[in-house]
Amino acid sequence: MAKGKEVRVTIILECTSCVRNDIKKESTGISRYITQKNRHNTPSRLELRKFCPYCYKHTIHGEIKK
């Protein structure tokens, strides 16, 4: 029996404010988190509020491609 795609996949969450504001301004980098999601329960892109150490506040982190 052939195996299909894995149900639980590893994803990368990236801060949307750091990307929008560009790296060269006051922030020194881009905040990224690694987590897992269930492909059947959340087929769309995942967005979570996480702490960004470069912005010094909680911001929306969105899923990016690998």
Side-chain angles (χ1 to χ4, degrees):
M1 186 167 169
K3 284 191 174 183
K5 292 185 178 180
E6 293 181 19
V7 176
R8 189 158 286 278
V9 293
T10 303
I11 59 168
I12 299 172
L13 299 174
E14 186 176 75
C15 180
T16 55
S17 343
C18 290
V19 175
R20 248 186 256 131
N21 293 339
D22 199 21
I23 301 170
K24 296 175 185 171
K25 292 186 179 176
E26 63 271 353
S27 68
T28 58
I30 297 175
S31 172
R32 289 189 174 163
Y33 286 93
I34 298 174
T35 187
Q36 292 183 341
K37 79 169 186 178
N38 190 323
R39 197 185 306 236
H40 293 305
N41 293 343
T42 53
S44 59
R45 296 235 170 182
L46 190 63
E47 286 188 344
L48 295 173
R49 281 187 52 126
K50 305 285 273 182
F51 182 77
C52 178
Y54 303 106
C55 300
Y56 299 107
K57 58 184 175 182
H58 282 83
T59 58
I60 295 176
H61 285 65
E63 181 180 340
I64 61 169
K65 290 185 177 179
K66 286 188 179 181

